[in-house]
Structures are given as C-alpha cells and as structure tokens.
Amino acid sequence: PSNMVLAVTGHFDWDAFVSNAEKYCMDWPSFHSERSTERFRREPIIREYRRSGLHESHLLLMSEGPSAQDDERFAWLVLSTIIGDCAGSAFYWDLVESGLADTASLEIDEKDGTGCIVAYAVTSPDRFDLVETKLRKLLERAGDFTDEELNRAKKKLCARIVHNGELPMGRLL
C-alpha cells in the first residue's frame, strides 16, 4: 500500500485541525520516511557569451560550496564577508572603490544537501579581462586576512542578524 502524509499550511484553526486529524486519520498505518540528499557534483563548465554593443559585462564564477547541513558554512559565511561583501571587503576595495567594477560580491548559497560559492562582478566590456584577473587573484589569496578583518566581518554578520530579525521576512525565517 502507498503511504499518505497529512499536512496543513496557511491560516487555520490548530485545535480543529488536530481534532479532525485524530477523527479521520487515526486508522492510518504509521511509517518511517527517509530522505536521501546526495551532494550535487558536476564537471567544470566554462561558458562565455559575448555580444557587441553592450555597456556592461557580467562575470560569474561558481564552485561547489557547503550545504545547509555542513558546519563549515559558518566559516564560509565569515570568509565571504571578508572577501566579497558589498562594502568594506577585498572585492569592494580592489574592484568597486577603484572604479574597475560597478559591483562585485562573493556569496555562499547553502541548500539541502548541497551548496555553491558564487563570485560575481559587473564591469564595462573593455575592463572585463582585468576584472576577471583581479577577482581570481583575490580568490586565490582568500585565506590571507588580518584579525581586524575577521573581527569586522563577525560584527557585520551579528548586526545583520539583529537587523534582519526586525524585518517581516527575517521574523518569518
């Protein structure tokens, strides 16, 4: 026989839900459900699209990263803040503040059982190769940071947690 799951979402009366669940579902057989999440692995892909007449070039580098279950995601979050935060990071000072790029960031995207690390920059087409070279060099020396940069990143992240907790979406999460 197939297994059935009872679920509810949205605005509902909890007591009525439980009462009806007990009334109509008490005879359902119990079962254990497991979910296997294999880490996503992919061979490297390099794609480049060029079109003349555009005023912006977008650079996107992705690699495998920590999943939502990996404890290392916390260290990656701090490191991405040091290297690629929108302000005060290595990407910011070397690429954005210098005028080479309009924006540059390093983000960690954790998912269930997998994740990725994304480096991104926007620049003019004539600066694309220079920005890519600088961005890659910054990534190569990612572990070369000071205690001051580490403490600043931790404080930024703590402030964001507090601030996001005051926003409706932050409270929801």
Side-chain angles (χ1 to χ4, degrees):
S2 32
N3 297 320
M4 292 179 36
V5 174
L6 175 64
V8 65
T9 185
H11 185 72
F12 60 92
D13 179 340
W14 176 253
D15 293 329
F17 170 74
V18 171
S19 176
N20 284 327
E22 289 172 347
K23 180 178 176 182
Y24 297 111
C25 306
M26 200 59 120
D27 295 333
W28 289 9
S30 295
F31 67 93
H32 179 72
S33 177
E34 288 189 27
R35 183 167 177 251
S36 173
T37 53
E38 292 184 29
R39 198 170 214 44
F40 178 76
R41 305 252 189 244
R42 180 159 192 126
E43 292 297 318
I45 297 173
I46 298 174
R47 290 198 178 126
E48 187 174 313
Y49 304 99
R50 293 194 185 241
R51 182 180 294 170
S52 62
L54 297 179
H55 300 287
E56 287 186 335
S57 291
H58 297 261
L59 172 65
L60 178 74
L61 304 174
M62 294 179 75
S63 71
E64 184 179 322
S67 76
Q69 292 82 11
D70 294 335
D71 286 340
E72 68 185 43
R73 71 187 187 278
F74 302 113
W76 274 106
L77 181 60
V78 174
L79 185 61
S80 70
T81 304
I82 294 169
I83 299 170
D85 195 49
C86 63
S89 68
F91 280 15
Y92 176 80
W93 291 115
D94 285 13
L95 299 171
V96 178
E97 177 67 18
S98 69
L100 290 175
D102 297 329
T103 188
S105 64
L106 181 68
E107 310 243 347
I108 307 304
D109 191 9
E110 310 115 1
K111 301 294 183 205
D112 190 16
T114 193
C116 65
I117 301 166
V118 180
Y120 177 71
V122 177
T123 188
S124 60
D126 60 318
R127 294 182 183 151
F128 182 87
D129 293 331
L130 176 61
V131 168
E132 180 182 11
T133 299
K134 285 186 167 277
L135 189 137
R136 287 182 183 274
K137 282 183 182 176
L138 289 167
L139 290 172
E140 286 173 8
R141 58 181 180 92
D144 184 21
F145 54 85
T146 66
D147 287 342
E148 181 183 340
E149 289 171 311
L150 176 62
N151 290 328
R152 188 172 38 240
K154 288 178 181 180
K155 288 177 185 176
K156 270 187 190 182
L157 290 168
C158 288
R160 285 181 185 154
I161 290 169
V162 171
H163 180 260
N164 288 341
E166 297 299 318
L167 299 172
M169 188 60 166
R171 288 193 301 271
L172 174 68
L173 295 174

